[in-house]
Amino acid sequence: MDRLGSQCPLPGYPRPSVLTCLLILPAAFLTYPMLRTLSLQLHSAITGTYVSGAHSVVFINCPNEQIARDIARAVLEKKLAASVNILPKASSLYFWKGEIEEATEILLLIKTRTSKVPVLSSYIRLVHPFEIPEVFSLPMDQGDVHYLKWLEEAMEED
């Protein structure tokens, strides 16, 4: 028996081929976010507790209040979020094309399921006027159980 086969923890079982491993591992990594979200929701439903990271806050800067309101309303109508705060007049300084720029922007705080962040980000890139819109998220670590339950219910499809 070769050295690799002798390290198999279950004698009598065939070793998986390298090709099998190469096919299964990428599929597992690609489905991990979806499986993690489903397991978090199942755990929350069974135990009645909140699992850290099931929801996120997404930050998006907009050039003016009207665009911020339009984006906020569209995100809510598409059930990509449960709530959006519009925070006026954030002063921003940033590098753009090698120069330091300064602007007054409107900040959106979007509360959503972590599983919806990739779809939300894609949608923002389609509708946002900036060449590279600022879109990033932070997972919620803790929160009021009643609020978090409301977040879930608010994003349920009709």
Side-chain angles (χ1 to χ4, degrees), residues 27-45:
F29 285 115
L30 292 174
T31 59
Y32 174 75
M34 180 181 64
L35 294 174
R36 181 179 186 276
T37 300
L38 290 173
S39 66
L40 291 175
Q41 290 173 348
L42 181 61
H43 180 272
S44 292

Side-chain angles (χ1 to χ4, degrees), residues 87-143:
L87 305 177
K89 297 193 178 185
S91 294
S92 298
L93 285 95
Y94 53 91
F95 278 104
W96 183 248
K97 298 185 179 180
E99 300 291 324
I100 295 176
E101 298 288 332
E102 191 169 339
T104 300
E105 298 175 319
I106 308 300
L107 178 62
L108 296 179
L109 298 179
I110 300 175
K111 278 74 75 183
T112 188
R113 287 186 199 126
T114 300
S115 62
K116 289 192 177 226
V117 170
V119 175
L120 175 63
S121 295
S122 295
Y123 178 72
I124 295 301
R125 280 193 303 278
L126 289 174
V127 300
H128 203 285
F130 289 168
E131 184 178 334
I132 303 174
E134 175 183 30
V135 179
F136 68 91
S137 68
L138 298 173
M140 292 183 193
D141 183 36
Q142 297 180 24

Side-chain angles (χ1 to χ4, degrees), residues 1-157:
M1 184 181 272
D2 67 63
R3 184 180 165 116
L4 186 60
S6 66
Q7 294 175 1
C8 182
L10 300 172
Y13 285 92
R15 267 188 324 178
S17 71
V18 173
L19 181 59
T20 303
C21 291
L22 290 175
L23 293 174
I24 292 174
L25 288 176
F29 285 115
L30 292 174
T31 59
Y32 174 75
M34 180 181 64
L35 294 174
R36 181 179 186 276
T37 300
L38 290 173
S39 66
L40 291 175
Q41 290 173 348
L42 181 61
H43 180 272
S44 292
I46 292 171
T47 64
T49 61
Y50 179 69
V51 177
S52 179
H55 296 91
S56 291
V57 178
V58 180
F59 296 75
I60 300 171
N61 274 347
C62 296
N64 61 54
E65 191 169 348
Q66 187 58 54
I67 289 172
R69 286 187 182 284
D70 291 346
I71 290 174
R73 187 167 299 283
V75 163
L76 291 170
E77 287 172 354
K78 292 186 174 302
K79 299 279 189 178
L80 295 175
S83 172
V84 181
N85 296 110
I86 300 173
L87 305 177
K89 297 193 178 185
S91 294
S92 298
L93 285 95
Y94 53 91
F95 278 104
W96 183 248
K97 298 185 179 180
E99 300 291 324
I100 295 176
E101 298 288 332
E102 191 169 339
T104 300
E105 298 175 319
I106 308 300
L107 178 62
L108 296 179
L109 298 179
I110 300 175
K111 278 74 75 183
T112 188
R113 287 186 199 126
T114 300
S115 62
K116 289 192 177 226
V117 170
V119 175
L120 175 63
S121 295
S122 295
Y123 178 72
I124 295 301
R125 280 193 303 278
L126 289 174
V127 300
H128 203 285
F130 289 168
E131 184 178 334
I132 303 174
E134 175 183 30
V135 179
F136 68 91
S137 68
L138 298 173
M140 292 183 193
D141 183 36
Q142 297 180 24
D144 179 76
V145 175
H146 300 288
Y147 177 76
L148 297 169
K149 185 175 188 241
W150 169 81
L151 275 179
E152 271 307 306
E153 291 169 356
M155 286 181 284
E156 288 178 357
E157 301 297 328

